[in-house]
């Protein structure tokens, strides 16, 4: 991070792991060296499944989630984006677990085995509602604080929690940086090239778009994967594993509401108004943070220089090269795990 002492400590950790000198250092430093070593050997596609998923009632939802690692380990919560799911972390989670972390990977509302407890509530995709879901999950699992890490919707959710409930967020890894927005900012016109990148947002604003996504959700998701990660050669099996989560009965409603809400074309719920008003002020995030970006991210994303000042705590930005796209944790799990360990140990 920005502190020289933290940098020196991390360099020592990696050096110790590489040289096999763990016996010569303290027990705490040995554990850290082990974490660093495990992070350095991860290969994408090593794992194809999680252990049996769990279900728990939390807030408005019956949440489906994967869990790995020791119950008494420091907690890391990994948050997926759209149109992706928990399998973005199928290689990340076991690596963190083997390094001593308790890892929680929940399906967001509208994905996988997560279901609403009531048929009568709005299928609401606004950012604060998704963040409240994660706070409710933490409460139910009796997790006081966690390191949060995510990309796309998951990064935005981590940002919201870090900004509104910093006491619950020990540290954060956020792909594509600071993603907190508001309905007011969503209504502002962008230059034509930038608007073109958001084509699906305008598509979802129409009834044709909603019907099209309902009918062609698999084709739609595959296209987004290809556009967002143009150099990622994912297999059919990899895609189909995640595509099953889009069969959730609330998926289309949640996705369409999210994008319509951003443009002011759909209302949210009054109970979230105070939270959204606070987020509209673009609050500074104070927790230790590492932001990341792939060098071939084809999805809309801000430049790092546009958001660096939104982080007032220990902060570092990492550009990951090698044709890495939007789904960074699945495309290059090694880099993502290293970032989580570095920020969690800072």
């Amino acid at each position: 991070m920005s502190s020289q002492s933290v940098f020196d400590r991390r360099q020592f950790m990696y050096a110790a792991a590489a040289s096999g000198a763990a016996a010569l250092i303290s027990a705490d430093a040995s554990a850290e060296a082990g974490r660093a070593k495990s992070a350095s050997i991860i290969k994408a596609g090593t794992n194809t499944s999680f252990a049996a998923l769990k279900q728990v009632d939390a807030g408005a939802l019956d949440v489906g989630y994967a869990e790995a690692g020791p119950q008494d380990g420091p907690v890391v919560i990994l948050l997926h984006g759209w149109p992706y799911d928990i399998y973005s972390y199928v290689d990340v989670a076991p690596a963190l677990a083997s390094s001593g972390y308790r890892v929680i990977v929940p399906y967001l509302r509208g994905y996988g085995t997560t279901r609403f407890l009531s048929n009568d509530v709005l299928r609401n995709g606004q950012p604060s509602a998704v963040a409240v879901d994660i706070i409710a999950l933490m409460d139910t699992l009796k997790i006081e604080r966690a390191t949060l890490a995510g990309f796309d919707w998951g990064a935005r959710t981590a940002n919201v929690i870090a900004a509104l409930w910093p006491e619950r967020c020990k540290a954060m890894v956020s792909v594509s940086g600071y993603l907190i927005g508001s309905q007011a900012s969503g209504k502002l016109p962008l230059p034509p090239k930038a608007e073109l990148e958001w084509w699906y947002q305008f598509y979802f604003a129409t009834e044709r778009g909603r019907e099209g996504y309902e009918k062609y959700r698999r084709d739609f998701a595959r296209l987004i994967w290809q556009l967002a990660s143009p150099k990622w050669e994912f297999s059919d099996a990899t895609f189909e594993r995640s595509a099953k989560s889009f069969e959730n009965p609330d998926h289309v409603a949640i996705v369409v509401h999210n994008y319509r809400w951003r443009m002011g074309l759909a209302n949210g719920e009054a109970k979230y108004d105070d939270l959204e008003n606070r987020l509209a002020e673009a609050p500074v995030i104070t927790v230790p943070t590492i932001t990341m970006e792939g060098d071939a991210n084809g999805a809309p994303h801000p430049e790092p220089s546009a958001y660096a000042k939104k982080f007032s705590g220990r902060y570092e930005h990492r550009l990951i090269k090698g044709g890495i796209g939007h789904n960074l944790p699945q495309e290059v799990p090694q880099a993502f795990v290293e970032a989580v360990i570095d920020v969690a140990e800072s």
Side-chain angles (χ1 to χ4, degrees), residues 79 108-109 125-138 148 153 156-162 164-165 272 275-276 279:
L79 301 169
L108 300 185
R109 54 171 58 194
Q126 69 184 108
S128 60
V130 180
V132 167
D133 291 344
I134 303 305
I135 292 294
L137 179 63
M138 292 175 68
L148 304 177
W153 287 27
R156 178 176 293 107
T157 302
N159 287 186
V160 170
I161 294 172
L164 298 183
W165 298 281
Y272 299 117
L275 298 179
E276 294 295 352
L279 293 173

PDB file of all heavy atoms in Angstrom, residues 79 108-109 125-138 148 153 156-162 164-165 272 275-276 279:
ATOM      1  N   LEU A  79     -18.159 -10.925  -4.073  1.00  0.00           N
ATOM      2  CA  LEU A  79     -19.427 -10.492  -4.662  1.00  0.00           C
ATOM      3  C   LEU A  79     -19.334 -10.462  -6.182  1.00  0.00           C
ATOM      4  O   LEU A  79     -18.460  -9.797  -6.753  1.00  0.00           O
ATOM      5  CB  LEU A  79     -19.785  -9.100  -4.125  1.00  0.00           C
ATOM      6  CG  LEU A  79     -19.923  -9.017  -2.592  1.00  0.00           C
ATOM      7  CD1 LEU A  79     -20.012  -7.572  -2.148  1.00  0.00           C
ATOM      8  CD2 LEU A  79     -21.137  -9.806  -2.118  1.00  0.00           C
ATOM      9  N   LEU A 108     -26.268 -13.060  -5.489  1.00  0.00           N
ATOM     10  CA  LEU A 108     -27.036 -11.839  -5.289  1.00  0.00           C
ATOM     11  C   LEU A 108     -28.515 -12.101  -5.575  1.00  0.00           C
ATOM     12  O   LEU A 108     -28.886 -13.107  -6.179  1.00  0.00           O
ATOM     13  CB  LEU A 108     -26.522 -10.730  -6.203  1.00  0.00           C
ATOM     14  CG  LEU A 108     -25.060 -10.304  -6.027  1.00  0.00           C
ATOM     15  CD1 LEU A 108     -24.748  -9.115  -6.927  1.00  0.00           C
ATOM     16  CD2 LEU A 108     -24.726  -9.992  -4.581  1.00  0.00           C
ATOM     17  N   ARG A 109     -29.354 -11.173  -5.132  1.00  0.00           N
ATOM     18  CA  ARG A 109     -30.794 -11.297  -5.430  1.00  0.00           C
ATOM     19  C   ARG A 109     -30.997 -11.430  -6.933  1.00  0.00           C
ATOM     20  O   ARG A 109     -30.402 -10.702  -7.735  1.00  0.00           O
ATOM     21  CB  ARG A 109     -31.590 -10.117  -4.882  1.00  0.00           C
ATOM     22  CG  ARG A 109     -31.108  -8.744  -5.316  1.00  0.00           C
ATOM     23  CD  ARG A 109     -32.077  -7.622  -4.922  1.00  0.00           C
ATOM     24  NE  ARG A 109     -32.343  -7.551  -3.485  1.00  0.00           N
ATOM     25  CZ  ARG A 109     -33.336  -6.852  -2.946  1.00  0.00           C
ATOM     26  NH1 ARG A 109     -34.140  -6.136  -3.723  1.00  0.00           N
ATOM     27  NH2 ARG A 109     -33.530  -6.817  -1.645  1.00  0.00           N
ATOM     28  N   GLY A 125     -33.792  -3.812  -7.921  1.00  0.00           N
ATOM     29  CA  GLY A 125     -32.370  -3.975  -8.195  1.00  0.00           C
ATOM     30  C   GLY A 125     -31.535  -2.753  -7.867  1.00  0.00           C
ATOM     31  O   GLY A 125     -30.373  -2.689  -8.279  1.00  0.00           O
ATOM     32  N   GLN A 126     -32.085  -1.783  -7.131  1.00  0.00           N
ATOM     33  CA  GLN A 126     -31.302  -0.575  -6.864  1.00  0.00           C
ATOM     34  C   GLN A 126     -30.108  -0.900  -5.970  1.00  0.00           C
ATOM     35  O   GLN A 126     -30.147  -1.818  -5.144  1.00  0.00           O
ATOM     36  CB  GLN A 126     -32.182   0.530  -6.274  1.00  0.00           C
ATOM     37  CG  GLN A 126     -32.702   0.286  -4.872  1.00  0.00           C
ATOM     38  CD  GLN A 126     -33.650   1.393  -4.414  1.00  0.00           C
ATOM     39  OE1 GLN A 126     -34.854   1.178  -4.320  1.00  0.00           O
ATOM     40  NE2 GLN A 126     -33.115   2.578  -4.142  1.00  0.00           N
ATOM     41  N   PRO A 127     -29.013  -0.161  -6.112  1.00  0.00           N
ATOM     42  CA  PRO A 127     -27.753  -0.511  -5.428  1.00  0.00           C
ATOM     43  C   PRO A 127     -27.858  -0.641  -3.920  1.00  0.00           C
ATOM     44  O   PRO A 127     -27.271  -1.559  -3.336  1.00  0.00           O
ATOM     45  CB  PRO A 127     -26.817   0.631  -5.832  1.00  0.00           C
ATOM     46  CG  PRO A 127     -27.343   1.108  -7.143  1.00  0.00           C
ATOM     47  CD  PRO A 127     -28.833   0.978  -7.044  1.00  0.00           C
ATOM     48  N   SER A 128     -28.562   0.255  -3.260  1.00  0.00           N
ATOM     49  CA  SER A 128     -28.620   0.197  -1.799  1.00  0.00           C
ATOM     50  C   SER A 128     -29.343  -1.054  -1.325  1.00  0.00           C
ATOM     51  O   SER A 128     -29.004  -1.628  -0.281  1.00  0.00           O
ATOM     52  CB  SER A 128     -29.300   1.451  -1.239  1.00  0.00           C
ATOM     53  OG  SER A 128     -30.628   1.568  -1.722  1.00  0.00           O
ATOM     54  N   ALA A 129     -30.333  -1.513  -2.087  1.00  0.00           N
ATOM     55  CA  ALA A 129     -31.062  -2.721  -1.695  1.00  0.00           C
ATOM     56  C   ALA A 129     -30.147  -3.936  -1.732  1.00  0.00           C
ATOM     57  O   ALA A 129     -30.188  -4.794  -0.838  1.00  0.00           O
ATOM     58  CB  ALA A 129     -32.260  -2.932  -2.619  1.00  0.00           C
ATOM     59  N   VAL A 130     -29.312  -4.027  -2.753  1.00  0.00           N
ATOM     60  CA  VAL A 130     -28.375  -5.145  -2.866  1.00  0.00           C
ATOM     61  C   VAL A 130     -27.355  -5.104  -1.725  1.00  0.00           C
ATOM     62  O   VAL A 130     -27.004  -6.135  -1.146  1.00  0.00           O
ATOM     63  CB  VAL A 130     -27.675  -5.127  -4.232  1.00  0.00           C
ATOM     64  CG1 VAL A 130     -26.693  -6.293  -4.346  1.00  0.00           C
ATOM     65  CG2 VAL A 130     -28.693  -5.191  -5.375  1.00  0.00           C
ATOM     66  N   ALA A 131     -26.905  -3.905  -1.370  1.00  0.00           N
ATOM     67  CA  ALA A 131     -25.959  -3.770  -0.262  1.00  0.00           C
ATOM     68  C   ALA A 131     -26.591  -4.165   1.068  1.00  0.00           C
ATOM     69  O   ALA A 131     -25.959  -4.836   1.893  1.00  0.00           O
ATOM     70  CB  ALA A 131     -25.446  -2.338  -0.194  1.00  0.00           C
ATOM     71  N   VAL A 132     -27.847  -3.778   1.274  1.00  0.00           N
ATOM     72  CA  VAL A 132     -28.548  -4.148   2.504  1.00  0.00           C
ATOM     73  C   VAL A 132     -28.672  -5.667   2.607  1.00  0.00           C
ATOM     74  O   VAL A 132     -28.597  -6.235   3.696  1.00  0.00           O
ATOM     75  CB  VAL A 132     -29.930  -3.463   2.555  1.00  0.00           C
ATOM     76  CG1 VAL A 132     -30.804  -4.064   3.651  1.00  0.00           C
ATOM     77  CG2 VAL A 132     -29.760  -1.964   2.807  1.00  0.00           C
ATOM     78  N   ASP A 133     -28.839  -6.341   1.462  1.00  0.00           N
ATOM     79  CA  ASP A 133     -28.879  -7.804   1.465  1.00  0.00           C
ATOM     80  C   ASP A 133     -27.608  -8.388   2.078  1.00  0.00           C
ATOM     81  O   ASP A 133     -27.664  -9.357   2.849  1.00  0.00           O
ATOM     82  CB  ASP A 133     -29.006  -8.345   0.043  1.00  0.00           C
ATOM     83  CG  ASP A 133     -30.334  -8.075  -0.608  1.00  0.00           C
ATOM     84  OD1 ASP A 133     -31.308  -7.735   0.106  1.00  0.00           O
ATOM     85  OD2 ASP A 133     -30.419  -8.200  -1.847  1.00  0.00           O
ATOM     86  N   ILE A 134     -26.467  -7.822   1.729  1.00  0.00           N
ATOM     87  CA  ILE A 134     -25.192  -8.357   2.214  1.00  0.00           C
ATOM     88  C   ILE A 134     -25.013  -8.053   3.702  1.00  0.00           C
ATOM     89  O   ILE A 134     -24.518  -8.895   4.463  1.00  0.00           O
ATOM     90  CB  ILE A 134     -24.020  -7.801   1.390  1.00  0.00           C
ATOM     91  CG1 ILE A 134     -24.209  -8.128  -0.099  1.00  0.00           C
ATOM     92  CG2 ILE A 134     -22.692  -8.371   1.893  1.00  0.00           C
ATOM     93  CD1 ILE A 134     -24.406  -9.610  -0.394  1.00  0.00           C
ATOM     94  N   ILE A 135     -25.437  -6.881   4.124  1.00  0.00           N
ATOM     95  CA  ILE A 135     -25.393  -6.568   5.558  1.00  0.00           C
ATOM     96  C   ILE A 135     -26.281  -7.543   6.326  1.00  0.00           C
ATOM     97  O   ILE A 135     -25.908  -8.048   7.401  1.00  0.00           O
ATOM     98  CB  ILE A 135     -25.835  -5.114   5.810  1.00  0.00           C
ATOM     99  CG1 ILE A 135     -24.799  -4.121   5.229  1.00  0.00           C
ATOM    100  CG2 ILE A 135     -26.022  -4.863   7.305  1.00  0.00           C
ATOM    101  CD1 ILE A 135     -23.453  -4.155   5.900  1.00  0.00           C
ATOM    102  N   ALA A 136     -27.470  -7.849   5.789  1.00  0.00           N
ATOM    103  CA  ALA A 136     -28.370  -8.797   6.444  1.00  0.00           C
ATOM    104  C   ALA A 136     -27.746 -10.187   6.509  1.00  0.00           C
ATOM    105  O   ALA A 136     -27.885 -10.901   7.517  1.00  0.00           O
ATOM    106  CB  ALA A 136     -29.709  -8.846   5.703  1.00  0.00           C
ATOM    107  N   LEU A 137     -27.053 -10.584   5.451  1.00  0.00           N
ATOM    108  CA  LEU A 137     -26.371 -11.882   5.452  1.00  0.00           C
ATOM    109  C   LEU A 137     -25.276 -11.910   6.512  1.00  0.00           C
ATOM    110  O   LEU A 137     -25.141 -12.905   7.248  1.00  0.00           O
ATOM    111  CB  LEU A 137     -25.792 -12.158   4.068  1.00  0.00           C
ATOM    112  CG  LEU A 137     -25.015 -13.471   3.918  1.00  0.00           C
ATOM    113  CD1 LEU A 137     -25.924 -14.672   4.167  1.00  0.00           C
ATOM    114  CD2 LEU A 137     -24.375 -13.553   2.528  1.00  0.00           C
ATOM    115  N   MET A 138     -24.508 -10.843   6.621  1.00  0.00           N
ATOM    116  CA  MET A 138     -23.472 -10.765   7.644  1.00  0.00           C
ATOM    117  C   MET A 138     -24.081 -10.861   9.037  1.00  0.00           C
ATOM    118  O   MET A 138     -23.552 -11.562   9.915  1.00  0.00           O
ATOM    119  CB  MET A 138     -22.673  -9.467   7.489  1.00  0.00           C
ATOM    120  CG  MET A 138     -21.824  -9.405   6.226  1.00  0.00           C
ATOM    121  SD  MET A 138     -20.998  -7.796   5.999  1.00  0.00           S
ATOM    122  CE  MET A 138     -19.808  -7.818   7.361  1.00  0.00           C
ATOM    123  N   LEU A 148     -14.235  -7.171   1.834  1.00  0.00           N
ATOM    124  CA  LEU A 148     -15.162  -7.307   0.716  1.00  0.00           C
ATOM    125  C   LEU A 148     -14.400  -7.178  -0.593  1.00  0.00           C
ATOM    126  O   LEU A 148     -13.532  -6.296  -0.734  1.00  0.00           O
ATOM    127  CB  LEU A 148     -16.247  -6.236   0.785  1.00  0.00           C
ATOM    128  CG  LEU A 148     -17.069  -6.175   2.078  1.00  0.00           C
ATOM    129  CD1 LEU A 148     -18.052  -5.010   2.007  1.00  0.00           C
ATOM    130  CD2 LEU A 148     -17.821  -7.474   2.309  1.00  0.00           C
ATOM    131  N   TRP A 153     -21.395  -5.391 -10.535  1.00  0.00           N
ATOM    132  CA  TRP A 153     -22.351  -5.129  -9.454  1.00  0.00           C
ATOM    133  C   TRP A 153     -21.725  -5.444  -8.100  1.00  0.00           C
ATOM    134  O   TRP A 153     -22.029  -4.793  -7.107  1.00  0.00           O
ATOM    135  CB  TRP A 153     -23.594  -5.997  -9.625  1.00  0.00           C
ATOM    136  CG  TRP A 153     -24.527  -5.629 -10.722  1.00  0.00           C
ATOM    137  CD1 TRP A 153     -24.240  -4.978 -11.891  1.00  0.00           C
ATOM    138  CD2 TRP A 153     -25.933  -5.918 -10.764  1.00  0.00           C
ATOM    139  NE1 TRP A 153     -25.369  -4.851 -12.661  1.00  0.00           N
ATOM    140  CE2 TRP A 153     -26.422  -5.423 -12.002  1.00  0.00           C
ATOM    141  CE3 TRP A 153     -26.814  -6.554  -9.907  1.00  0.00           C
ATOM    142  CZ2 TRP A 153     -27.745  -5.539 -12.390  1.00  0.00           C
ATOM    143  CZ3 TRP A 153     -28.151  -6.679 -10.275  1.00  0.00           C
ATOM    144  CH2 TRP A 153     -28.611  -6.167 -11.502  1.00  0.00           C
ATOM    145  N   ARG A 156     -19.580  -2.553  -6.974  1.00  0.00           N
ATOM    146  CA  ARG A 156     -20.453  -1.456  -6.551  1.00  0.00           C
ATOM    147  C   ARG A 156     -21.044  -1.734  -5.164  1.00  0.00           C
ATOM    148  O   ARG A 156     -21.101  -0.847  -4.302  1.00  0.00           O
ATOM    149  CB  ARG A 156     -21.570  -1.250  -7.566  1.00  0.00           C
ATOM    150  CG  ARG A 156     -22.558  -0.144  -7.176  1.00  0.00           C
ATOM    151  CD  ARG A 156     -23.597   0.098  -8.249  1.00  0.00           C
ATOM    152  NE  ARG A 156     -22.986   0.645  -9.442  1.00  0.00           N
ATOM    153  CZ  ARG A 156     -22.799  -0.032 -10.571  1.00  0.00           C
ATOM    154  NH1 ARG A 156     -23.177  -1.300 -10.653  1.00  0.00           N
ATOM    155  NH2 ARG A 156     -22.243   0.531 -11.623  1.00  0.00           N
ATOM    156  N   THR A 157     -21.466  -2.965  -4.943  1.00  0.00           N
ATOM    157  CA  THR A 157     -22.036  -3.323  -3.645  1.00  0.00           C
ATOM    158  C   THR A 157     -21.003  -3.190  -2.542  1.00  0.00           C
ATOM    159  O   THR A 157     -21.295  -2.678  -1.450  1.00  0.00           O
ATOM    160  CB  THR A 157     -22.589  -4.761  -3.695  1.00  0.00           C
ATOM    161  OG1 THR A 157     -23.577  -4.848  -4.733  1.00  0.00           O
ATOM    162  CG2 THR A 157     -23.211  -5.155  -2.375  1.00  0.00           C
ATOM    163  N   ALA A 158     -19.780  -3.630  -2.815  1.00  0.00           N
ATOM    164  CA  ALA A 158     -18.698  -3.469  -1.836  1.00  0.00           C
ATOM    165  C   ALA A 158     -18.433  -1.995  -1.561  1.00  0.00           C
ATOM    166  O   ALA A 158     -18.238  -1.589  -0.406  1.00  0.00           O
ATOM    167  CB  ALA A 158     -17.435  -4.160  -2.340  1.00  0.00           C
ATOM    168  N   ASN A 159     -18.432  -1.175  -2.614  1.00  0.00           N
ATOM    169  CA  ASN A 159     -18.245   0.273  -2.451  1.00  0.00           C
ATOM    170  C   ASN A 159     -19.310   0.872  -1.547  1.00  0.00           C
ATOM    171  O   ASN A 159     -19.021   1.674  -0.652  1.00  0.00           O
ATOM    172  CB  ASN A 159     -18.316   0.982  -3.813  1.00  0.00           C
ATOM    173  CG  ASN A 159     -17.115   0.787  -4.701  1.00  0.00           C
ATOM    174  OD1 ASN A 159     -17.025   1.400  -5.762  1.00  0.00           O
ATOM    175  ND2 ASN A 159     -16.193  -0.079  -4.332  1.00  0.00           N
ATOM    176  N   VAL A 160     -20.565   0.481  -1.782  1.00  0.00           N
ATOM    177  CA  VAL A 160     -21.677   1.035  -1.005  1.00  0.00           C
ATOM    178  C   VAL A 160     -21.539   0.666   0.468  1.00  0.00           C
ATOM    179  O   VAL A 160     -21.707   1.514   1.358  1.00  0.00           O
ATOM    180  CB  VAL A 160     -23.026   0.543  -1.571  1.00  0.00           C
ATOM    181  CG1 VAL A 160     -24.165   0.920  -0.627  1.00  0.00           C
ATOM    182  CG2 VAL A 160     -23.268   1.132  -2.954  1.00  0.00           C
ATOM    183  N   ILE A 161     -21.204  -0.582   0.744  1.00  0.00           N
ATOM    184  CA  ILE A 161     -21.039  -1.001   2.137  1.00  0.00           C
ATOM    185  C   ILE A 161     -19.870  -0.284   2.784  1.00  0.00           C
ATOM    186  O   ILE A 161     -19.969   0.198   3.918  1.00  0.00           O
ATOM    187  CB  ILE A 161     -20.861  -2.525   2.213  1.00  0.00           C
ATOM    188  CG1 ILE A 161     -22.142  -3.227   1.762  1.00  0.00           C
ATOM    189  CG2 ILE A 161     -20.482  -2.963   3.628  1.00  0.00           C
ATOM    190  CD1 ILE A 161     -22.016  -4.732   1.610  1.00  0.00           C
ATOM    191  N   ALA A 162     -18.765  -0.177   2.079  1.00  0.00           N
ATOM    192  CA  ALA A 162     -17.591   0.509   2.623  1.00  0.00           C
ATOM    193  C   ALA A 162     -17.877   1.974   2.908  1.00  0.00           C
ATOM    194  O   ALA A 162     -17.357   2.553   3.873  1.00  0.00           O
ATOM    195  CB  ALA A 162     -16.411   0.385   1.664  1.00  0.00           C
ATOM    196  N   LEU A 164     -21.092   3.399   3.432  1.00  0.00           N
ATOM    197  CA  LEU A 164     -22.184   3.616   4.377  1.00  0.00           C
ATOM    198  C   LEU A 164     -21.984   2.900   5.714  1.00  0.00           C
ATOM    199  O   LEU A 164     -22.467   3.363   6.742  1.00  0.00           O
ATOM    200  CB  LEU A 164     -23.510   3.162   3.762  1.00  0.00           C
ATOM    201  CG  LEU A 164     -23.974   3.890   2.498  1.00  0.00           C
ATOM    202  CD1 LEU A 164     -25.329   3.363   2.061  1.00  0.00           C
ATOM    203  CD2 LEU A 164     -24.027   5.395   2.715  1.00  0.00           C
ATOM    204  N   TRP A 165     -21.291   1.775   5.684  1.00  0.00           N
ATOM    205  CA  TRP A 165     -21.062   0.990   6.909  1.00  0.00           C
ATOM    206  C   TRP A 165     -19.584   0.615   7.024  1.00  0.00           C
ATOM    207  O   TRP A 165     -19.234  -0.572   7.012  1.00  0.00           O
ATOM    208  CB  TRP A 165     -21.917  -0.281   6.888  1.00  0.00           C
ATOM    209  CG  TRP A 165     -23.389  -0.055   6.856  1.00  0.00           C
ATOM    210  CD1 TRP A 165     -24.203   0.268   7.904  1.00  0.00           C
ATOM    211  CD2 TRP A 165     -24.246  -0.135   5.704  1.00  0.00           C
ATOM    212  NE1 TRP A 165     -25.503   0.383   7.490  1.00  0.00           N
ATOM    213  CE2 TRP A 165     -25.565   0.141   6.143  1.00  0.00           C
ATOM    214  CE3 TRP A 165     -24.030  -0.440   4.357  1.00  0.00           C
ATOM    215  CZ2 TRP A 165     -26.649   0.143   5.272  1.00  0.00           C
ATOM    216  CZ3 TRP A 165     -25.100  -0.423   3.492  1.00  0.00           C
ATOM    217  CH2 TRP A 165     -26.393  -0.142   3.944  1.00  0.00           C
ATOM    218  N   TYR A 272     -35.307   2.929   1.182  1.00  0.00           N
ATOM    219  CA  TYR A 272     -33.907   3.091   0.814  1.00  0.00           C
ATOM    220  C   TYR A 272     -33.559   4.536   0.455  1.00  0.00           C
ATOM    221  O   TYR A 272     -32.417   4.819   0.079  1.00  0.00           O
ATOM    222  CB  TYR A 272     -33.560   2.185  -0.370  1.00  0.00           C
ATOM    223  CG  TYR A 272     -33.757   0.720  -0.093  1.00  0.00           C
ATOM    224  CD1 TYR A 272     -34.696  -0.024  -0.814  1.00  0.00           C
ATOM    225  CD2 TYR A 272     -33.013   0.066   0.884  1.00  0.00           C
ATOM    226  CE1 TYR A 272     -34.894  -1.374  -0.565  1.00  0.00           C
ATOM    227  CE2 TYR A 272     -33.198  -1.291   1.138  1.00  0.00           C
ATOM    228  CZ  TYR A 272     -34.133  -2.000   0.414  1.00  0.00           C
ATOM    229  OH  TYR A 272     -34.319  -3.340   0.661  1.00  0.00           O
ATOM    230  N   LEU A 275     -30.534   6.134   2.263  1.00  0.00           N
ATOM    231  CA  LEU A 275     -29.259   5.550   1.820  1.00  0.00           C
ATOM    232  C   LEU A 275     -28.880   6.082   0.444  1.00  0.00           C
ATOM    233  O   LEU A 275     -27.716   6.455   0.208  1.00  0.00           O
ATOM    234  CB  LEU A 275     -29.368   4.024   1.786  1.00  0.00           C
ATOM    235  CG  LEU A 275     -29.656   3.321   3.108  1.00  0.00           C
ATOM    236  CD1 LEU A 275     -29.763   1.808   2.893  1.00  0.00           C
ATOM    237  CD2 LEU A 275     -28.579   3.630   4.144  1.00  0.00           C
ATOM    238  N   GLU A 276     -29.836   6.130  -0.471  1.00  0.00           N
ATOM    239  CA  GLU A 276     -29.529   6.617  -1.820  1.00  0.00           C
ATOM    240  C   GLU A 276     -29.164   8.096  -1.809  1.00  0.00           C
ATOM    241  O   GLU A 276     -28.301   8.530  -2.585  1.00  0.00           O
ATOM    242  CB  GLU A 276     -30.715   6.363  -2.753  1.00  0.00           C
ATOM    243  CG  GLU A 276     -31.024   4.892  -3.009  1.00  0.00           C
ATOM    244  CD  GLU A 276     -29.928   4.144  -3.753  1.00  0.00           C
ATOM    245  OE1 GLU A 276     -28.961   4.778  -4.229  1.00  0.00           O
ATOM    246  OE2 GLU A 276     -30.035   2.899  -3.850  1.00  0.00           O
ATOM    247  N   LEU A 279     -25.602   8.231  -0.822  1.00  0.00           N
ATOM    248  CA  LEU A 279     -24.742   7.769  -1.914  1.00  0.00           C
ATOM    249  C   LEU A 279     -24.656   8.797  -3.035  1.00  0.00           C
ATOM    250  O   LEU A 279     -23.631   8.910  -3.712  1.00  0.00           O
ATOM    251  CB  LEU A 279     -25.269   6.446  -2.461  1.00  0.00           C
ATOM    252  CG  LEU A 279     -25.185   5.251  -1.503  1.00  0.00           C
ATOM    253  CD1 LEU A 279     -25.903   4.051  -2.100  1.00  0.00           C
ATOM    254  CD2 LEU A 279     -23.736   4.904  -1.176  1.00  0.00           C
TER     255      LEU A 279
END
